[in-house]
């Protein structure tokens, strides 16, 4: 993006002061966004006593190791279980969801069928309806068919990603030229074969974008699991940490666990974000041009 | 819409009319079949986790478990008409939830739009060193899940835990972040922290797409950096501004995670503080599904009406501008 950088503003008058002011403002904003994260990092190294009271920047009582052991042994290691659950919900869910969304978006772009635009209108309505509004209706249906408090009650609804379909249709018209399909048809390849061997490969970056957006959304998911699940063993991290936080209001020894548990829960998304930065950006820009 | 779907599945194989140039029947049939296969999983989800639940919630909002008075145990499902809706709309705690949302929007939307726009314009001005790093730092909170962002800030608001409160106390400033008048701004701050960088990236991307000639022309005409930003750049990217506002409003209506966590820490946030908390409370603390369904349907309608109104309005602005 920086390659496209704007023309130098050095020519515009009062150079040095405006430069200083501008950089200071951005620096303050960056401190605002970073310092809470830094606090979390430091607080994770403190034990319960040090967390309350003593200076946060003193490294006198460094008990990161102790906190980690506590974290994974508390309540028979239920935290590890939550972590695995979150990974399952988010990674498997985002993979399956992205496959479904990209296939649908591609079909919307490359084929014609009756009521196509009406159906797509429904997809766009889905984009506008936030998932939280659907949580209670979903619970009512799930309880009707006896799926409440199961893995599927959280896993299946998050596969539905209308924004992914919208994005995939946009990307498919940009990345997959119709001539390629024609060529493949002339070669006698089947339609689905063409999709999986040729088109999906060309849609690769788009697929990653959809996957990442969905991964974040599922990792963030809180209302739906809270509504659906009562068995602690099925909880994702967000819901587990929430219950520990409510325990902490009664027994403060939970505070360090919530802190270090939160820190570890943030890691996968930060890693995904930093390593796959350009895909996030392409999704954001595609979303904003509409 | 499910009728349209089944019709599509029925007529699917011969449906495509895309290539009149090559009317080979076998090819068309194969295309229709492939299209149906590719669309089937998504349409199944659309029906199962979107249309059916919404329909069922609407149905339930008109029916109720009637076990008042006689107490025949399980109770029978009876048609109650608009009774649940009247009960929801007549409930001051539901209405006050929308009041909270309105107040929240009043603080949050201007703060996030002005803040993100200002940062994007600064990054676009060419005055900033380490532009990429700055952008990444500002964006990072968006990678922090909502509940964890709320936990971090709740602890930073909690006396004893928070270094911020200690620091302020050293300067003889005493603020209760979870007090009657401060708890809502405290919640807004969490949302602002999470959303600032995200929206900044949207604005920045829009600014980068501006034709450089326009900016140069403004500069040659003698407009300074700030005037160019406010009078030339901002009007051109107002589509993005409207979009950010719209998503901020729709997001605000869904407010749940932050106040639910705050509810554990302060009596200033009650269990029906926002519409979504009201729904949760009605369904799981009061076990009144009719009431919860009616509240869900109302929230859904308000959300749709709002997004429809904003898109319409934005569309008209776009057209009249041309």
């Amino acid at each position: 993006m920086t390659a496209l950088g704007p023309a130098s503003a050095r020519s515009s008058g009062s150079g040095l002061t405006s430069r200083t002011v501008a950089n200071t403002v951005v620096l303050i904003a960056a401190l605002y966004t970073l310092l809470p994260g830094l606090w979390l990092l430091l607080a994770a190294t403190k034990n319960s006593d040090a967390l309350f009271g003593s200076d946060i920047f003193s490294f006198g009582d460094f008990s990161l190791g102790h906190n980690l052991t506590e974290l994974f042994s508390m309540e028979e290691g239920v935290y590890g279980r939550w972590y695995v659950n979150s990974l399952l919900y988010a990674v498997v869910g985002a993979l399956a969801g992205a496959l479904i969304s990209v296939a649908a978006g591609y079909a919307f772009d490359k084929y014609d069928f009756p009521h196509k635009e009406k159906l797509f209108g429904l997809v766009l309505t889905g984009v506008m309806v936030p998932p939280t509004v659907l949580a209670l209706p979903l619970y009512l249906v799930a309880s009707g068919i006896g799926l409440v408090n199961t893995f599927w009650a959280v896993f299946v609804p998050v596969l539905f990603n209308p924004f992914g379909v919208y994005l995939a249709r946009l990307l498919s018209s940009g990345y997959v030229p119709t001539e390629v399909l024609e060529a493949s048809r002339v070669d006698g390849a089947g339609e689905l074969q063409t999709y999986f061997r040729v088109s999906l490969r060309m849609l690769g970056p788009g697929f990653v974008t959809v996957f990442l957006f969905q991964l974040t959304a599922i990792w963030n998911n809180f209302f739906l699991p809270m509504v659906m699940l009562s068995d602690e063993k099925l909880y994702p991290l967000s819901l587990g940490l929430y219950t520990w936080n409510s325990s902490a209001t009664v027994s403060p020894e939970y505070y360090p666990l919530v802190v270090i548990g939160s820190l570890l829960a943030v890691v996968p998304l930060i890693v995904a974000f930093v390593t796959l930065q350009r895909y996030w950006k392409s999704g954001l820009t595609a979303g904003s041009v509409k | 819409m499910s009728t349209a779907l089944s019709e599509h599945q029925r007529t699917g194989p011969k449906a495509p009319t895309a290539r009149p140039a090559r009317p080979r029947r076998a090819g068309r049939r194969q295309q229709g079949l492939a299209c149906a296969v590719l669309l089937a999983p998504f349409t199944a989800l659309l029906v199962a986790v979107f249309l059916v639940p919404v329909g069922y919630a609407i149905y339930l909002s008109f029916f109720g478990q009637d076990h008042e008075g006689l107490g025949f145990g399980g109770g029978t499902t009876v048609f109650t008409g608009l009774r649940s809706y009247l009960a929801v709309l007549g409930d001051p705690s539901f209405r006050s939830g929308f009041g909270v949302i309105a107040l929240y929007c009043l603080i949050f939307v201007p703060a996030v739009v002005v803040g993100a726009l200002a940062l994007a314009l600064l990054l676009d001005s060419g005055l900033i060193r380490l532009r990429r790093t700055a952008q990444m730092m500002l964006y990072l909170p968006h990678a922090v899940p909502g509940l964890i962002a709320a936990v971090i800030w709740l602890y930073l608001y909690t006396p004893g835990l928070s270094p911020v409160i200690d620091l302020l106390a050293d300067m003889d400033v005493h603020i209760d972040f979870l007090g009657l008048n401060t708890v809502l701004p405290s919640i807004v701050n969490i949302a602002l922290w999470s959303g600032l960088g995200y929206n900044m990236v949207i604005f920045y991307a829009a600014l980068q797409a501006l034709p450089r000639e326009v900016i140069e022309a403004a500069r040659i005409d003698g407009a300074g950096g700030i005037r160019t930003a406010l009078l030339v750049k901002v009007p051109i990217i107002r589509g993005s501004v409207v979009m950010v506002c719209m998503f901020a409003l729709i997001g605000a209506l869904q407010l749940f995670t932050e106040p639910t966590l705050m509810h554990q820490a302060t009596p200033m946030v009650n269990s029906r503080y926002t519409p979504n908390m009201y729904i949760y409370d009605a369904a799981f603390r009061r076990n009144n599904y009719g009431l919860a369904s009616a509240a869900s349907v109302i929230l859904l309608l308000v959300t749709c009406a709002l997004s429809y109104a904003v898109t319409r309005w934005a569309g008209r602005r776009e057209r009249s501008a041309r």
Side-chain angles (χ1 to χ4, degrees):
Chain A
M1 285 324 267
T2 23
L4 273 170
S8 163
R10 210 166 294 151
S11 53
S12 65
S14 52
L16 202 62
T17 31
S18 60
R19 187 173 292 262
T20 317
V21 171
N23 278 293
T24 314
V25 171
V26 174
L27 182 69
I28 291 171
L31 287 177
Y32 168 65
T33 52
L34 282 190
L35 284 182
L38 185 67
W39 174 79
L40 186 70
L41 199 61
L42 290 175
T45 66
K46 304 274 183 278
N47 62 30
S48 194
D49 295 336
L51 198 56
F52 286 91
S54 87
D55 187 3
I56 189 81
F57 295 105
S58 73
F59 282 93
D61 29 36
F62 186 84
S63 39
L64 180 64
H66 173 254
N67 285 345
L68 279 172
T69 341
E70 281 287 291
L71 177 70
F72 284 101
S73 60
M74 195 62 160
E75 294 175 17
E76 292 150 12
V78 74
Y79 182 83
R81 185 110 201 199
W82 295 339
Y83 215 99
V84 173
N85 289 343
S86 269
L87 285 174
L88 277 180
Y89 291 129
V91 178
V92 181
L95 264 180
L99 273 175
I100 292 170
S101 305
V102 170
Y106 174 82
F108 271 115
D109 175 48
K110 295 291 180 241
Y111 297 104
D112 267 328
F113 50 86
H115 306 295
K116 172 163 131 171
E117 292 311 321
K118 270 187 209 156
L119 191 63
F120 198 67
L122 206 56
V123 173
L124 291 181
T125 316
V127 176
M128 285 301 158
V129 174
T132 42
V133 183
L134 295 176
L136 183 86
L138 278 167
Y139 169 81
L140 298 171
V141 170
S143 80
I145 54 178
L147 275 180
V148 161
N149 201 22
T150 61
F151 175 82
W152 306 107
V154 174
F155 184 78
V156 174
V158 298
L159 297 177
F160 177 61
N161 179 6
F163 179 71
V165 176
Y166 163 78
L167 201 60
R169 181 181 186 173
L170 215 67
L171 297 170
S172 164
S173 69
Y175 283 127
V176 187
T178 316
E179 299 83 65
V180 175
L181 299 192
E182 293 292 347
S184 179
R185 272 174 203 149
V186 170
D187 287 350
E191 290 291 318
L192 287 175
Q193 214 178 354
T194 308
Y195 172 68
F196 284 108
R197 297 243 174 99
V198 183
S199 312
L200 196 55
R201 213 163 278 177
M202 298 177 117
L203 281 170
F207 181 87
V208 178
T209 307
V210 175
F211 169 78
L212 276 173
F213 269 76
Q214 208 157 354
L215 185 79
T216 331
I218 304 176
W219 201 268
N220 266 312
N221 206 352
F222 175 64
F223 195 37
L224 185 72
M226 182 160 174
V227 165
M228 290 287 190
L229 303 176
S230 51
D231 180 1
E232 281 211 346
K233 293 204 173 91
L234 293 171
Y235 281 8
L237 283 167
S238 56
L239 192 54
L241 289 169
Y242 171 77
T243 53
W244 273 6
N245 181 63
S246 54
S247 310
T249 53
V250 189
S251 32
E253 72 265 21
Y254 276 95
Y255 276 119
L257 300 184
V258 177
V259 168
I260 190 161
S262 298
L263 181 66
L264 292 191
V266 170
V267 171
L269 280 192
I270 302 275
V271 170
F273 162 60
V274 174
T275 51
L276 301 166
Q277 236 197 105
R278 65 194 182 96
Y279 297 103
W280 295 73
K281 227 177 218 171
S282 67
L284 277 180
T285 10
S288 62
V289 276
K290 72 168 172 183
Chain B
M1 258 312 155
S2 60
T3 49
L5 171 73
S6 57
E7 191 177 0
H8 153 232
Q9 280 170 341
R10 197 154 31 78
T11 58
K14 54 178 171 147
T17 47
R19 320 246 154 278
R22 210 181 299 245
R24 274 185 311 183
R25 190 157 273 186
R28 277 166 158 223
R29 169 168 300 187
Q30 214 201 1
Q31 285 181 27
L33 197 67
C35 175
V37 168
L38 293 175
L39 265 181
F42 178 75
T43 28
L45 278 172
L46 183 76
V47 172
V49 305
F50 183 58
L51 297 179
V52 169
V54 170
Y56 192 51
I58 293 173
Y59 165 80
L60 273 183
S61 67
F62 287 106
F63 291 83
Q65 297 280 321
D66 212 4
H67 40 204
E68 286 168 88
L70 295 172
F72 277 113
T76 47
T77 305
V78 292
F79 183 73
T80 55
L82 292 173
R83 203 171 73 189
S84 296
Y85 287 95
L86 293 176
V88 169
L89 292 172
D91 189 339
S93 60
F94 185 69
R95 291 202 305 261
S96 81
F98 279 97
V100 165
I101 298 294
L103 201 56
Y104 170 91
C105 286
L106 218 57
I107 316 173
F108 175 67
V109 175
V112 79
V113 170
V114 171
L117 197 54
L119 287 169
L121 287 168
L122 283 174
L123 285 175
D124 189 59
S125 72
L127 293 170
I128 305 301
R129 301 167 136 266
L130 304 169
R131 198 161 40 222
R132 242 169 210 266
T133 319
Q135 222 183 328
M136 169 115 109
M137 283 169 159
L138 292 170
Y139 188 78
L140 221 47
H142 190 70
V144 176
L147 182 98
I148 291 175
V151 165
I152 297 174
W153 279 102
L154 175 63
Y155 289 5
L156 290 175
Y157 295 150
T158 305
L161 274 171
S162 167
V164 179
I165 291 179
D166 293 347
L167 209 68
L168 288 173
D170 287 344
M171 297 189 289
D172 226 23
V173 179
H174 299 278
I175 301 179
D176 177 8
F177 287 107
L178 302 172
L180 179 62
N181 295 318
T182 45
V183 74
L184 191 64
S186 296
I187 293 174
V188 169
N189 176 53
I190 303 175
L192 188 66
W193 183 73
S194 301
L196 193 65
Y198 177 82
N199 292 308
M200 184 272 295
V201 171
I202 293 181
F203 289 144
Y204 184 67
L207 287 171
Q208 293 278 293
L210 291 190
R212 287 294 136 193
E213 307 87 69
V214 176
I215 312 300
E216 281 307 311
R219 194 156 286 152
I220 291 164
D221 284 350
I226 293 176
R227 287 191 51 172
T228 313
L230 294 182
L231 298 178
V232 179
K233 292 181 183 175
V234 174
I236 302 183
I237 64 159
R238 69 179 177 283
S240 304
V241 176
V242 171
M243 195 191 71
V244 165
C245 286
M246 181 172 77
F247 280 107
L249 289 173
I250 295 174
L253 278 173
Q254 313 312 316
L255 199 59
F256 178 77
T257 307
E258 296 87 352
T260 300
L261 193 77
M262 296 297 194
H263 171 61
Q264 294 182 333
T266 168
M268 296 307 153
V269 177
N270 63 45
S271 64
R272 302 176 202 170
Y273 193 67
T274 68
N276 261 329
M277 288 175 78
Y278 181 93
I279 292 168
Y280 184 83
D281 184 78
F284 301 105
R285 290 204 190 87
R286 289 180 276 167
N287 293 316
N288 190 335
Y289 290 163
L291 198 68
S293 303
S296 289
V297 173
I298 291 172
L299 184 59
L300 186 68
L301 286 178
V302 172
T303 307
C304 288
L306 191 69
S307 63
Y308 181 72
V310 180
T311 1
R312 274 292 297 273
W313 178 77
R316 199 177 312 146
R317 284 287 304 268
E318 251 354 85
R319 253 173 279 126
S320 67
R322 263 175 217 153

